[in-house]
Amino acid sequence: MSSLSPTEPTSPTTAAPSMKQTISWAFYDWANTGYAMVVLALIFPRLYKGFYAAGLSDGDQTAWFGRTVSIASLLVAICAPFLGSIGELGGLRKRLLLMFCSVGVVTTAGCYFIGKGDYEMASLIYIIGTVSFYSSNIFFDSMLTTVSTPEKRHFVSGLGFSFGYAAGFVLLLITLLVTKVAAAQVMFLVAAVWWAVFTIPLAMNIKEKPRPDRPPFFVMAWMGAKDTLSTLKEIWAIKPILWFLAAYLFYIDGVNTIIMMASNYGTTIGFAEDQITQAFFIVQIFGVPCAILFGWAGQKVGPRKMMFVAIVLYVGVTAYGAFLDTKPIQVFGIDISEMFVLAALIGMVQGGIQALSRSYFNTLIPVGREVSFFGFYSMIGKSAAVMGPFLMAYVASAYNNPENPTFSTRLGMGSVSILFVIGAVFLVLAGHYDKRMQRWEAKTRV
């Protein structure tokens, strides 16, 4: 049997990556934003409410969509560790990335052909596409060490995120133009072509050969499972990491729930489609500078303190969202939609809490165990949108009121704040154990 380790690099090389390889890798963040913006965030959730789930009550629409998102996220959470191990052990990261990308492209295009009222087919295609999207990202993220040197790793990672933000802005512009002259479903074809075409640089320029000595598939899966259990034991033993990951699990689920459910929620409570599209522009615009600002503030006063600031603001976001009025408010004599105010608040904290979570977690990891530990971090971050949608679906179903059809939906949005409160409690515990460990390490050095 091979002695391969899941954390062993698949393509060892002493040559520094070229700029072409780095840019080609970053372009995949640009490419898969087609699915993230059009299917996860912008078009699909709105069509689900008004087209795919036509005939269902507002509460049932929210419940069905919430279950759909939860199932997709749960499948990703279950599969991610095994997929990552198989990709590492067999040197198959690129092949698996392109395979899941291909399935995602097909399902994205397939959304165009779903008929009115066919919400079950819409849910099935969404689940397959979303699992493919996040699965491809597992292998994409793991390629970071291949396309960057240690000295530039953070910069290259940030470059990928910046490509994604830029792509989101461009896709929003395209969406505005296309939906003025054609049905919204056309954007599914645009997103599919976008994802496929901009994946070509990675497919052409990132070289990775499968291991000639790789074990059979089931052996790789077994070895990956063993390594997963070993890493879990380490996480359980290192209390700051354990409590931080517990905190991250809850509050990032809240963050992702708001991202995934925002469009559907806005449509349900009565906002126009053009207002929701403009709100996504505002999130993008505020997200870039505020992520930088949170990073700077985290460096000055500590990342955990700024994460608490972000969590408190997110509790405010969910409360404000629950009472959102479709009538505009006046700011300096100008009528502004409350949806735009909410979008600005989300943009202020969304990038900041994601950036600080990653950098803070990096300070907790034992030296030399970054790959395995960040595998769990990525699994939680990429798949966390299970509890929030389920909570919204449960509340929407339990408190469905025909006389006030949006009441249960608004209550469902407010219930997401529970996830941020629980996350804050666990973050306090993480800080407590982190300080204890720092004091113990200081004593041992003396």
Side-chain angles (χ1 to χ4, degrees):
M1 182 184 293
S2 170
S3 60
L4 296 174
S5 166
T7 58
E8 184 181 343
T10 58
S11 301
T13 177
T14 56
S18 66
M19 180 61 70
K20 179 190 287 187
Q21 289 177 316
T22 300
I23 297 298
S24 298
W25 175 83
F27 249 107
Y28 188 73
D29 229 331
W30 173 287
N32 67 16
T33 300
Y35 187 88
M37 290 300 297
V38 174
V39 180
L40 293 183
L42 199 59
I43 301 298
F44 187 94
R46 283 186 289 165
L47 283 176
Y48 198 97
K49 184 254 185 286
F51 186 76
Y52 299 142
L56 297 179
S57 69
D58 288 339
D60 287 339
Q61 288 172 0
T62 302
W64 258 95
F65 189 66
R67 293 188 195 105
T68 299
V69 173
S70 291
I71 291 170
S73 300
L74 188 60
L75 286 174
V76 174
I78 293 170
C79 296
F82 300 100
L83 290 173
S85 295
I86 291 168
E88 284 288 333
L89 288 166
L92 300 173
R93 291 180 303 177
K94 181 180 173 182
R95 289 190 180 186
L96 289 171
L97 185 154
L98 295 177
M99 182 191 77
F100 282 111
C101 169
S102 299
V103 175
V105 167
V106 171
T107 55
T108 303
C111 292
Y112 175 81
F113 301 98
I114 303 172
K116 185 174 183 178
D118 198 357
Y119 60 91
E120 292 176 334
M121 179 59 70
S123 293
L124 178 62
I125 290 179
Y126 178 93
I127 289 168
I128 295 172
T130 301
V131 169
S132 299
F133 169 78
Y134 282 119
S135 295
S136 72
N137 279 344
I138 295 169
F139 307 108
F140 168 68
D141 290 342
S142 71
M143 288 181 176
L144 179 59
T145 54
T146 304
V147 299
S148 64
T149 60
E151 295 78 18
K152 294 185 177 181
R153 194 142 297 155
H154 300 300
F155 169 77
V156 173
S157 178
L159 183 68
F161 276 111
S162 68
F163 273 42
Y165 275 115
F169 190 84
V170 173
L171 281 164
L172 283 169
L173 285 175
I174 294 174
T175 300
L176 284 176
L177 296 174
V178 168
T179 52
K180 288 183 181 297
V181 297
Q185 286 93 325
V186 173
M187 281 306 302
F188 292 128
L189 300 179
V190 172
V193 172
W194 180 286
W195 193 356
V197 168
F198 290 114
T199 301
I200 293 174
L202 183 148
M204 298 290 291
N205 299 318
I206 304 297
K207 307 299 181 183
E208 184 175 67
K209 295 181 180 179
R211 289 183 185 271
D213 59 341
R214 71 179 184 271
F217 174 85
F218 290 107
V219 175
M220 287 192 293
W222 172 247
M223 294 170 65
K226 289 173 64 177
D227 182 76
T228 300
L229 290 173
S230 176
T231 306
L232 273 173
K233 290 178 181 178
E234 290 185 74
I235 290 172
W236 184 264
I238 305 174
K239 297 306 180 185
I241 293 180
L242 175 66
W243 290 116
F244 170 74
L245 287 178
Y248 185 65
L249 173 65
F250 280 93
Y251 72 69
I252 207 65
D253 197 295
V255 172
N256 288 349
T257 296
I258 290 173
I259 293 171
M260 288 187 170
M261 302 294 284
S263 181
N264 178 272
Y265 175 75
T267 303
T268 299
I269 65 174
F271 283 96
E273 289 192 6
D274 61 336
Q275 290 178 301
I276 296 173
T277 302
Q278 292 167 35
F280 276 98
F281 269 112
I282 295 171
V283 171
Q284 299 289 103
I285 291 170
F286 274 81
V288 176
C290 288
I292 296 172
L293 180 62
F294 263 83
W296 174 83
Q299 196 71 37
K300 293 292 184 181
V301 303
R304 200 167 57 250
K305 291 180 180 178
M306 291 308 300
M307 287 157 64
F308 275 116
V309 171
I311 287 173
V312 169
L313 288 174
Y314 258 116
V315 171
V317 163
T318 57
Y320 185 64
F323 293 97
L324 211 59
D325 196 335
T326 54
K327 296 178 182 178
I329 59 173
Q330 280 209 337
V331 179
F332 301 115
I334 301 173
D335 286 342
I336 296 179
S337 170
E338 286 197 24
M339 175 63 75
F340 299 163
V341 177
L342 182 67
L345 291 172
I346 292 172
M348 287 171 61
V349 292
Q350 181 173 296
I353 197 168
Q354 291 170 330
L356 289 175
S357 297
R358 181 169 59 183
S359 60
Y360 177 65
F361 184 62
N362 191 68
T363 66
L364 302 175
I365 302 172
V367 177
R369 294 288 289 153
E370 291 83 3
V371 176
S372 293
F373 278 78
F374 259 105
F376 277 88
Y377 176 89
S378 297
M379 180 190 73
I380 293 172
K382 292 285 189 288
S383 61
V386 177
M387 293 178 288
F390 178 82
L391 191 60
M392 288 186 69
Y394 174 78
V395 172
S397 295
Y399 296 93
N400 194 11
N401 183 0
E403 296 181 2
N404 186 0
T406 66
F407 171 77
S408 60
T409 302
R410 290 177 179 275
L411 194 61
M413 172 57 71
S415 69
V416 176
S417 62
I418 295 170
L419 300 177
F420 292 106
V421 173
I422 296 173
V425 172
F426 284 135
L427 192 58
V428 169
L429 291 172
H432 170 70
Y433 281 101
D434 187 20
K435 291 176 181 177
R436 285 181 57 180
M437 183 170 286
Q438 289 176 10
R439 288 195 296 267
W440 180 81
E441 289 176 347
K443 289 180 180 179
T444 56
R445 283 195 298 267
V446 175

